[in-house]
DNA sequence: TATATTGTAATAGTAAAGTATGACACCGAG
DNA sequence: CTCGGTGTCATACTTTACTATTACAATATA
């Protein structure tokens, strides 16, 4: 995993775990890799993993069981809501950024369609 | 101006100045407010302004004239390219983020249309 | 020429993020 | 009960961003 040096690593890891859950690489109730293992996998310090996890635990997306491990919540609704929230966040970020450049609603849609089409052509 | 505490302030200011130019609040060749004034306006330290400006100067978006002031480049093409680059960046960020949540191309377009429509209704 | 205004630079201090390391607490299996 | 794996916590150190402050350099103008 490569990190954006403009955003705190712990925050990027938090979002990475969100994705893993939403995409299903981590199932509901499933145990996460041990923190020391995650630290190795994600090439950061255990404390940085802990920093990300502590926020996820506070949000009850992850449940921590001392001596056993960290587990994804069983609450499906919570994850569905999370997915919705992230999608909305990404959309509004893009919308706001583009609008601040004086790109109209109409143009935003056009540009996006064009972007996706260009991407298809390049077959990336 | 309010800052996102997840992103360096100097970087947000740099992007703010990009926008001011692209939107036309700062015309080609126009003189920027003095660095000390910018610091007051943007409620940060002069050094932070300088940090943002030094990058813009390195990119030749801003030209610095010691003793006179900082000026927007006269190079219209440069600004057009910049606008294009930012738009593309915002689109690809959104696209990548959404794709990573397993949202398909089709759904991305649908969600965006829905987002914009919802926004219109709320009349915000 | 003197003064105000502009950009530039250096120093020092604070805070947050990240690393390295070691210690402690809990749990389950042998 | 002991041991290995788990999460948790604390301390110390480094780096980056930011602030505060001071000083210096170039320009325009009165």
């Amino acid at each position: 995993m490569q990190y954006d040096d403009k955003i705190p690593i712990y925050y990027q890891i938090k979002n990475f775990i969100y994705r893993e859950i939403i995409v299903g690489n981590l199932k509901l109730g499933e145990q996460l890799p041990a923190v020391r293992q995650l630290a190795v996998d994600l090439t950061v310090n255990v404390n940085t993993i802990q920093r990300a996890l502590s926020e996820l635990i506070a949000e009850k997306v992850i449940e921590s069981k001392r001596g056993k491990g960290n587990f994804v919540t069983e609450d499906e609704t919570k994850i569905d809501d999370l997915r919705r929230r992230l999608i909305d966040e990404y959309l509004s970020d893009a919308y706001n950024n583009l609008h601040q450049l004086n790109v109209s609603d109409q143009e935003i849609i056009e540009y996006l369609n064009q972007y996706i089409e260009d991407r298809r052509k390049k077959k990336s």
Side-chain angles (χ1 to χ4, degrees), chain A:
Chain A
M1 174 149 175
Q2 67 183 10
Y3 300 103
D4 180 342
D5 68 354
K6 293 290 186 299
I7 302 173
I9 296 177
Y10 82 89
Y11 192 76
Q12 297 181 58
I13 291 177
K14 185 182 171 188
N15 278 285
F16 168 73
I17 296 176
Y18 278 155
R19 288 200 299 273
E20 289 292 286
I21 297 172
I22 290 172
V23 164
N25 290 343
L26 289 171
K27 314 288 186 193
L28 294 188
E30 184 177 345
Q31 180 171 8
L32 274 66
V35 291
R36 290 170 182 80
Q37 185 58 46
L38 279 174
V40 172
D41 294 347
L42 302 179
T43 62
V44 296
N45 190 272
V46 178
N47 298 325
T48 306
I49 298 292
Q50 202 64 23
R51 173 83 183 264
L53 287 180
S54 67
E55 294 201 0
L56 293 167
I57 292 164
E59 297 169 9
K60 299 190 176 174
V61 169
I62 299 294
E63 186 181 357
S64 171
K65 297 179 184 172
R66 196 187 186 104
K68 299 173 76 176
N70 289 304
F71 300 81
V72 178
T73 181
E74 300 276 4
D75 185 349
E76 184 164 6
T77 305
K78 192 161 203 81
I79 302 305
D80 287 346
D81 289 351
L82 174 62
R83 180 171 181 275
R84 267 288 163 198
R85 202 197 83 206
L86 291 182
I87 289 176
D88 202 70
E89 204 172 287
Y90 296 145
L91 287 172
S92 64
D93 281 354
Y95 182 87
N96 290 329
N97 283 332
L98 290 168
H99 237 211
Q100 282 179 324
L101 296 186
N102 270 355
V103 181
S104 71
D105 287 6
Q106 187 59 30
E107 288 169 324
I108 289 175
I109 293 171
E110 284 169 10
Y111 284 159
L112 177 65
N113 275 290
Q114 191 177 333
Y115 177 85
I116 290 178
E117 190 161 345
D118 286 356
R119 206 177 166 95
R120 282 216 189 93
K121 281 181 193 161
K122 285 182 204 151
K123 199 67 208 117
S124 58

